[in-house]
Amino acid sequence: NNIFNLIKSQSGNNILQEISESDHKFANDQLFKKVKNNLKDICCDMYGNIFIIFLLDILTFENIELFLSSLQYSLFDISMTEPGSRVIQKLIEKICNFPLLLNRFIFYLSYKNIGLLMISPYGNHIFQKYLSVIKNKDFTYFIYNYIFNNFINIIKEKHGVCVIKKSLLEADDEQRNTIYKYKS
C-alpha cells in the first residue's frame, strides 16, 4: 500500500523514479512485481501514469510482455482516459519492433469496440500514435480495414476525423485509395 501511495503522489513518484533510474534491477525485479496487479488504477491515475511511462523505458522485455498481458482486459478502459491514453501511447513506442507483442496488443485492443476508441477524445490519440510508429502493413491492416468498413460513422465525429486524417498521412497508395473510395 505504501508503494501505491508513493506512486499516486507527486513527491513519492519523483522518489520512486530516482530510485528506479539508479537501480534498474530493483525496478524490474521488485517494484514492477509489486505494482503489476494494480496497473489499471495506476495507469489511469494523474501521477501514476507518469510513473508508468517512466517505468516502461527501463522495463525488461519480459516485464513489458507481462505488463501487456496484465492489461489485456483493461486496455480498452485505460485507453478511454487521458492519463491511460498517454501510457498506451508509450507502450506502442516500446513494442513497435516486437511482432509478437504487436499481435497481442492488436488482439487486446480489439477486445472491445475499437470504433468507440477512434472517436473518443483520448482513444483517438492511440490510433494516431500507432499509425505514426508502426509502418508494417500487416500490423496496420486492422485500422484501415475498420476505417474502410465504418468510414461514415468515424468521419461524423470530430475525433474520428483526426484518425482518418492521420491514416491518410501515413498510408501508402493502396491504403489511401481504399479510403478515397468515399470521395465520390
Side-chain angles (χ1 to χ4, degrees):
N1 286 339
N2 292 333
I3 295 279
F4 300 118
N5 291 336
L6 287 172
I7 289 172
K8 292 183 174 191
S9 73
Q10 186 174 12
S11 57
N13 195 315
N14 290 337
I15 290 168
L16 287 174
Q17 285 185 39
E18 286 178 27
I19 293 169
S20 298
E21 182 63 37
S22 65
D23 189 352
H24 289 197
K25 186 168 174 47
F26 165 78
N28 276 282
D29 295 345
Q30 295 177 32
L31 185 58
F32 179 69
K33 303 291 188 240
K34 290 184 186 226
V35 300
K36 71 177 169 100
N37 293 328
N38 295 81
L39 283 173
K40 179 181 178 184
D41 292 335
I42 297 169
C43 288
C44 295
D45 182 73
M46 180 171 73
Y47 294 114
N49 83 92
I50 296 166
F51 178 73
I52 295 297
I53 289 168
F54 167 82
L55 193 61
L56 281 168
D57 274 331
I58 59 176
L59 287 180
T60 61
F61 175 83
E62 292 78 18
N63 279 342
I64 290 174
E65 187 175 29
L66 185 57
F67 179 90
L68 183 58
S69 295
S70 297
L71 294 179
Q72 64 181 311
Y73 299 114
S74 304
L75 203 59
F76 179 89
D77 296 330
I78 292 168
S79 299
M80 293 293 275
T81 69
E82 183 177 6
S85 174
R86 289 189 204 119
V87 170
I88 303 306
Q89 290 175 64
K90 180 64 174 187
L91 178 63
I92 291 167
E93 291 175 7
K94 294 302 292 181
I95 66 172
C96 69
N97 295 315
F98 302 104
L100 175 68
L101 295 183
L102 279 173
N103 276 330
R104 286 188 194 162
F105 177 81
I106 293 166
F107 179 77
Y108 298 154
L109 190 67
S110 300
Y111 177 70
K112 291 194 178 177
N113 187 345
I114 64 169
L116 290 177
L117 276 178
M118 280 189 186
I119 62 172
S120 76
Y122 309 117
N124 82 86
H125 295 286
I126 291 167
F127 291 99
Q128 291 185 63
K129 172 61 88 172
Y130 190 91
L131 290 167
S132 69
V133 172
I134 309 298
K135 300 304 180 193
N136 185 327
K137 287 173 62 169
D138 293 337
F139 295 106
T140 58
Y141 173 79
F142 81 103
I143 295 174
Y144 288 98
N145 186 50
Y146 191 86
I147 291 171
F148 176 81
N149 290 311
N150 299 280
F151 185 83
I152 301 299
N153 291 331
I154 298 168
I155 201 140
K156 288 191 304 187
E157 303 292 333
K158 69 180 179 180
H159 301 296
V161 169
C162 296
V163 173
I164 289 175
K165 284 170 53 177
K166 186 64 166 182
S167 68
L168 289 170
L169 285 172
E170 300 294 337
D172 63 18
D173 289 338
E174 179 185 343
Q175 293 164 324
R176 201 172 290 113
N177 287 336
T178 298
I179 296 172
Y180 282 158
K181 79 171 191 149
Y182 289 97
K183 186 177 177 185
S184 51

